[in-house]
Amino acid sequence: MRAEGLACSHAGTPLFSGASFTLLEDEVAFLTGPNGAGKSTLLRTLAGWDVPAEGRVELCGRRFDGADRAQRAQMAFVPDTPVFYDDLTAGEHVELVRRANRIPRASDPSERLMDAFGLAERRNLLPSSYSRGMRQKLALVLALACRPRLLLLDEPYGPLDPESAEVLSRLLVEARVAGAAVLASCHHGVAGLRPDKWLRLKGGRLERDPADAC
């Protein structure tokens, strides 16, 4: 993924401008910054959910705005508040994603992911009955099951208990080894996952964090 000169606003208020960076295959980047700096807006723009006032996003060497279905299939975005269908159980969400993405049942990792996050025995419940942490885990299952080339995650560790956070770190390491690029917003480092890049959004600018060891 490549972002070049992105500028975004919220409710008419400028958030940031000139945001540029490159994220290569098998790289993990953490996006940090104070509340209100625009981290969620940046991720939504990268995912094609929001339209930037300026700049462009490229995915797999082509301009990306979310309109091309084939391009969209190459990435997965988990927002800070995942949304689910009211009348589908967790298991039915898993089956819907499998069919929509034409994932062969024999190679579908969904059951392994559900088990890893402790959701297997709760697959017949509606997500509306889940705790916030359980809903986050279900959203992560649905994203990881598609084996995207790019994962965009908005505060994925926030609602998770320490054990589930370790599971997520392990799964993101697996995704990186398989060639996926990962961009996750967070407020600090997390156990079990060392990023290749730190990006900091503050004062309307996106910069490489001084703590970036790369």
Side-chain angles (χ1 to χ4, degrees):
M1 162 167 276
R2 180 169 179 262
E4 181 179 354
L6 293 180
C8 292
S9 302
H10 179 70
T13 301
L15 290 175
F16 56 82
S17 62
S20 301
F21 71 94
T22 299
L23 187 62
L24 304 177
E25 292 182 3
D26 72 18
E27 283 190 334
V28 173
F30 282 176
L31 174 63
T32 66
N35 292 336
K39 298 186 299 295
S40 293
T41 298
L42 176 57
L43 287 167
R44 290 172 62 90
T45 301
L46 296 173
W49 287 26
D50 289 349
V51 179
E54 298 176 8
R56 59 185 285 150
V57 176
E58 292 183 1
L59 180 60
C60 301
R62 295 171 49 217
R63 184 161 190 160
F64 176 69
D65 60 8
D68 187 293
R69 183 173 180 177
Q71 264 191 310
R72 287 203 316 271
Q74 301 297 312
M75 60 83 62
F77 174 44
V78 178
D80 58 345
T81 305
V83 177
F84 304 97
Y85 293 104
D86 293 335
D87 55 349
L88 295 183
T89 66
E92 288 169 336
H93 276 85
V94 168
E95 181 65 12
L96 177 64
V97 168
R98 186 188 71 79
R99 293 188 179 187
N101 290 276
R102 300 178 181 178
I103 303 172
R105 191 177 297 276
S107 59
D108 184 5
S110 299
E111 295 307 318
R112 178 177 69 88
L113 295 169
M114 290 284 281
D115 186 62
F117 278 122
L119 297 178
E121 295 183 357
R122 297 178 174 87
R123 61 179 299 110
N124 293 324
L125 299 178
L126 296 172
S128 58
S129 70
Y130 279 9
S131 67
R132 184 185 176 211
M134 291 170 63
R135 289 195 294 273
Q136 180 75 1
K137 288 187 279 189
L138 178 58
L140 291 166
V141 167
L142 300 178
L144 289 164
C146 297
R147 296 189 177 97
R149 297 180 65 179
L150 172 67
L151 272 165
L152 301 174
L153 309 175
D154 194 355
E155 295 289 350
Y157 288 91
L160 300 182
D161 58 78
E163 182 178 350
S164 298
E166 290 181 5
V167 170
L168 175 57
S169 289
R170 174 171 56 80
L171 293 172
L172 292 181
V173 169
E174 289 180 7
R176 173 165 60 183
V177 170
V182 180
L183 176 61
S185 64
C186 60
H187 289 289
H188 48 72
V190 297
L193 183 64
R194 183 182 184 278
D196 301 287
K197 296 177 179 178
W198 287 85
L199 304 174
R200 181 166 178 81
L201 192 56
K202 183 179 180 181
R205 310 298 296 179
L206 180 69
E207 300 177 350
R208 292 283 286 268
D209 194 288
D212 191 344
C214 298

